[in-house]
């Protein structure tokens, strides 16, 4: 078996970008976006279609600190999926095990209820071995709970691992480059640099042509499709913040889910994953709300949700909840909503003769790798036809 030649990496403008001088296109596939979806696709293509030459392009670093991947919950679970999606979820789990190894951690996942549901048991009993977790909530308000299988990981690590594996198998990687798609399989590449006054500017511009282009730029991808390709989609986006709860968590603490809010143990405390109610309207600018007249960094909808849960989860009413003073104080990112629905699974979609859209969305933790592999299988079967 022939060992593949590793791909090239251009990390900064000091490295001249030399894709090749052949009059034919230098690449068969250009993937715009090296988050977990784009990186996973790049790796899958090296396995499903190793004859295709692929360039993975990212506007920032690997992973991009401003992207949604690094702030994603990193929780694999089938707790909120219909049975029809469980096979894809378990395929993703095996893939996560292969890529992450010990960085994938099994832990309990409890959905909390105010009344009995099929398969539920007493909250006090299910959390008897986790007294720190039980102290977060009022079991009188949430007396019932359902246990589910779950595994936690860092999506940023997943993106990095997948991209590095793809590079070892021949994929090229171009970082710190803004890619703009155009009709006819053309992409403009603006290689970015930072001036001594900390301004991000274009150092040089290249144009590439390829038979197939994949937009894997997250919540920005539908806007790229409409503005640059003239293709309207029904996809939308929402701005999700992930505030910090400084209440201590243990290494084996369960993930808790109550009334749409997920409490994810992380770094010895908790990251809160609020529910997404709906798409944000076009032109919406995130801004912090006010609590008793005091400005906070949490958007008003999230703030109202947390206040409404303070009786069920008294820890939210303590100083452990980090409200911030401005939007910059609370981590947040734009999240793609497939077809505008908060509960829609990841998807891929053909936009024109040369371009595909690849979106993760709220269920990318559990189904994203399967969806990326599905697109790779389609490309391998007919160059995306």
């Amino acid at each position: 078996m022939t060992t593949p030649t590793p791909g090239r990496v251009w990390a900064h403008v000091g490295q001249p970008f030399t894709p090749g001088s052949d009059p034919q296109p230098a690449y068969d596939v250009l993937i715009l976006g090296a988050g977990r979806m784009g990186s996973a696709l790049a790796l899958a293509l090296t396995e499903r279609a190793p004859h295709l030459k692929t360039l993975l392009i990212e506007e920032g670093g690997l992973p991009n600190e401003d992207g949604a991947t690094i702030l994603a919950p990193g929780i694999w679970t089938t707790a909120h999926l219909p049975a029809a999606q469980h096979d894809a979820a378990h395929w993703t789990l095996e893939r996560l095990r292969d890529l992450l190894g010990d960085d994938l951690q099994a832990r309990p996942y409890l959905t909390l209820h105010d009344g009995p549901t099929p398969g539920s048991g007493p909250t006090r009993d299910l959390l008897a071995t986790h007294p720190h977790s039980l102290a977060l909530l009022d079991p009188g308000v949430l007396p019932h709970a359902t246990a589910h299988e779950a595994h936690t990981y860092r999506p940023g690590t997943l993106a990095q691992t997948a991209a590095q594996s793809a590079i070892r198998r021949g994929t090229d990687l171009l970082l710190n480059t803004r890619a703009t798609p155009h009709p006819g399989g053309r992409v403009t590449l603006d290689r970015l640099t930072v001036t001594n006054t900390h301004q991000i500017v274009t150092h040089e511009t290249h144009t590439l042509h390829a038979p197939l282009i994949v937009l894997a730029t997250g919540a920005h991808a539908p806007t790229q499709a409409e503005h640059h390709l003239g293709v309207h989609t029904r996809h939308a986006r929402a701005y999700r913040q992930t505030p910090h709860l400084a209440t201590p968590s243990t290494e084996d603490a369960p993930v808790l889910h109550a009334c749409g809010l997920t409490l994810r143990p992380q770094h010895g405390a908790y990251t809160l994953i609020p529910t997404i109610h709906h798409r944000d309207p076009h032109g919406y600018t995130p801004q912090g709300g006010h609590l008793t007249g005091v400005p906070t960094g949490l958007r008003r909808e999230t703030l109202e949700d947390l206040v409404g849960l303070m009786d069920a989860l008294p820890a939210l009413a303590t100083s452990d909840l980090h409200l911030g003073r401005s939007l910059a104080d609370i981590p947040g990112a734009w999240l793609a909503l497939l077809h505008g629905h908060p509960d829609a699974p990841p998807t891929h979609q053909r936009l024109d003769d040369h371009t595909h859209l690849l979106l993760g969305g709220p269920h990318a933790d559990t189904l994203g790798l399967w969806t990326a592999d599905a697109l790779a299988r389609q490309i391998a079967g007919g160059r995306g036809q």
Side-chain angles (χ1 to χ4, degrees):
M1 182 176 179
T2 304
T3 301
T5 302
R8 294 171 291 179
V9 178
W10 294 276
H12 52 80
V13 296
Q15 300 169 298
F17 179 58
T18 54
S21 57
D22 196 296
Q24 297 298 317
Y27 296 99
D28 299 297
V29 185
L30 302 178
I31 302 175
L32 280 55
R36 59 174 156 184
M37 297 300 291
S39 296
L41 174 62
L43 177 57
L45 283 174
T46 67
E47 299 164 341
R48 302 291 187 181
H51 59 286
L52 297 181
K53 185 63 176 175
T54 300
L55 175 64
L56 182 62
I57 308 162
E58 173 55 52
E59 185 168 345
L62 186 67
N64 188 335
E65 295 184 0
D66 295 324
T69 289
I70 204 167
L71 292 179
I75 303 170
W76 180 97
T77 182
T78 59
H80 309 291
L81 295 180
Q85 295 173 355
H86 285 194
D87 286 347
H90 283 97
W91 186 97
T92 295
L93 179 59
E94 291 307 311
R95 183 72 158 169
L96 287 169
R97 287 184 173 128
D98 290 342
L99 291 172
L100 297 178
D102 292 341
D103 287 334
L104 182 70
Q105 180 181 3
R107 65 169 75 238
Y109 185 107
L110 297 184
T111 53
L112 306 168
H113 318 284
D114 57 5
T117 62
S120 67
T123 298
R124 289 185 184 276
D125 292 349
L126 290 174
L127 288 176
T129 57
H130 302 282
H132 288 88
S133 300
L134 186 62
L136 291 170
L137 56 97
D138 183 346
V141 179
L142 297 170
H144 302 274
T146 306
H148 306 272
E149 178 185 6
H151 300 263
T152 55
Y153 62 97
R154 295 182 180 181
T157 299
L158 173 61
Q160 187 174 43
T161 300
Q164 290 172 342
S165 298
I167 293 165
R168 286 194 293 269
R169 298 172 65 95
T171 298
D172 288 350
L173 174 65
L174 180 61
L175 297 174
N176 297 302
T177 300
R178 182 183 298 118
T180 303
H182 303 280
R186 180 169 62 93
V187 174
T188 302
L189 304 175
D190 293 316
R191 300 193 71 195
L192 306 175
T193 189
V194 181
T195 69
N196 55 12
T197 58
H198 306 290
Q199 292 179 304
I200 298 176
V201 299
T202 298
H203 176 76
E204 61 188 22
T205 299
H206 300 266
T207 299
L208 292 182
H209 291 80
L212 187 61
I213 297 165
V214 179
L215 304 185
T217 50
H220 186 48
T223 301
Q224 285 182 308
E226 183 165 352
H227 288 181
H228 302 297
L229 301 176
V231 179
H232 175 71
T233 73
R234 297 181 61 85
H235 306 302
R237 65 179 190 167
Y239 188 76
R240 181 174 68 185
Q241 295 175 291
T242 52
H244 178 74
L245 182 68
T247 305
S249 67
T250 59
E251 185 67 25
D252 63 343
V255 178
L256 302 177
H257 183 85
C259 304
L261 177 68
T262 301
L263 291 81
R264 197 258 206 234
Q266 198 166 30
H267 309 308
Y270 288 89
T271 297
L272 304 184
I273 315 299
T275 189
I276 299 173
H277 296 288
H278 51 70
R279 63 167 62 191
D280 283 324
H282 180 72
Y284 170 78
T285 300
Q287 54 186 343
H290 288 73
L291 183 63
T292 62
V294 178
T296 74
L298 282 173
R299 58 180 297 178
R300 184 67 193 180
E301 299 89 342
T302 300
L303 190 59
E304 290 177 351
D305 285 344
L306 296 182
V307 170
L309 284 169
M310 286 180 177
D311 287 340
L313 299 167
L316 300 179
T318 69
S319 59
D320 286 348
L321 177 60
H322 181 212
L323 298 175
R325 292 182 177 273
S326 69
L327 196 73
D329 295 331
I330 308 295
W334 287 102
L335 188 69
L337 299 186
L338 301 312
H339 311 293
H341 301 304
D343 293 326
T347 191
H348 62 86
Q349 173 185 349
R350 190 169 187 84
L351 298 177
D352 60 28
D353 290 343
H354 295 277
T355 315
H356 277 270
L357 186 68
L358 177 62
L359 294 176
H363 289 298
D365 285 342
T366 302
L367 297 171
L369 295 185
W370 185 89
T371 303
D373 189 72
L375 177 54
R377 295 195 303 270
Q378 182 175 330
I379 293 172
R383 290 288 183 93
Q385 298 296 324

